[in-house]
Amino acid sequence: MVERISISTLEKLMIGDVGEHAICVVKFYSNGCHLCHALKDTYEQIAGEYKDFDNIYFFAFNTNDVMSIKEYIDVDGTPSICAIDTSGKNKISILADPPAPHPETWFTASYIKRFIEKARK
């Protein structure tokens, strides 16, 4: 399940103020982004595949909720995906643009899954 989060929740994830060690995968999207809308089903499918894994959660953040997302996290646009490790390291990884972007969704499911697996290690 993918939960939509607010900026205050995103900030708590980024500083590790969540009460448990977890990997939090966040998809950044905007209302006017056709790639974001097309990626939604793929992202939800991936979240479903990880539903039985301990300590991995999937979130979505609407960048239209803030004036500038760059004030909070270094994402270049939408769609963007990051993984936040809320352990003592509070490591934030941002998924790089793919070498061959998918014309409809930008990111492919396999590209996102490789990113998640790397973040889990």
Side-chain angles (χ1 to χ4, degrees), residues 10-21:
L10 178 63
E11 289 177 313
K12 286 180 180 181
L13 293 175
M14 291 177 10
I15 62 170
D17 185 20
V18 294
E20 72 176 292
H21 294 185

Side-chain angles (χ1 to χ4, degrees), residues 97-111:
D97 285 340
H102 188 281
E104 293 177 19
T105 61
W106 194 256
F107 299 112
T108 62
S110 61
Y111 193 69

Side-chain angles (χ1 to χ4, degrees), residues 25 28 35 44 73 94-95 98 101 108 110 113:
V25 183
F28 295 88
L35 295 170
E44 288 177 352
I73 189 167
I94 298 173
L95 179 59
T108 62
S110 61
K113 288 182 205 179

Side-chain angles (χ1 to χ4, degrees), residues 44-89:
E44 288 177 352
Q45 176 187 346
I46 293 167
E49 291 175 22
Y50 282 89
K51 72 178 187 224
D52 295 328
F53 285 62
D54 289 334
N55 300 327
I56 185 164
Y57 302 98
F58 288 80
F59 301 103
F61 180 81
N62 187 341
T63 60
N64 296 115
D65 291 349
V66 294
M67 292 293 289
S68 172
I69 192 61
K70 285 278 223 184
E71 292 178 23
Y72 301 93
I73 189 167
D74 193 24
V75 295
D76 288 326
T78 58
S80 288
I81 296 176
C82 80
I84 303 170
D85 179 346
T86 66
S87 68
K89 304 177 256 179

Side-chain angles (χ1 to χ4, degrees), residues 2-44:
V2 176
E3 180 181 339
R4 185 169 182 250
I5 58 172
S6 66
I7 191 61
S8 62
T9 302
L10 178 63
E11 289 177 313
K12 286 180 180 181
L13 293 175
M14 291 177 10
I15 62 170
D17 185 20
V18 294
E20 72 176 292
H21 294 185
I23 298 296
C24 300
V25 183
V26 182
K27 179 185 84 161
F28 295 88
Y29 70 96
S30 64
N31 295 336
C33 172
H34 72 281
L35 295 170
C36 299
H37 292 287
L39 183 61
K40 182 181 179 191
D41 290 340
T42 300
Y43 187 69
E44 288 177 352

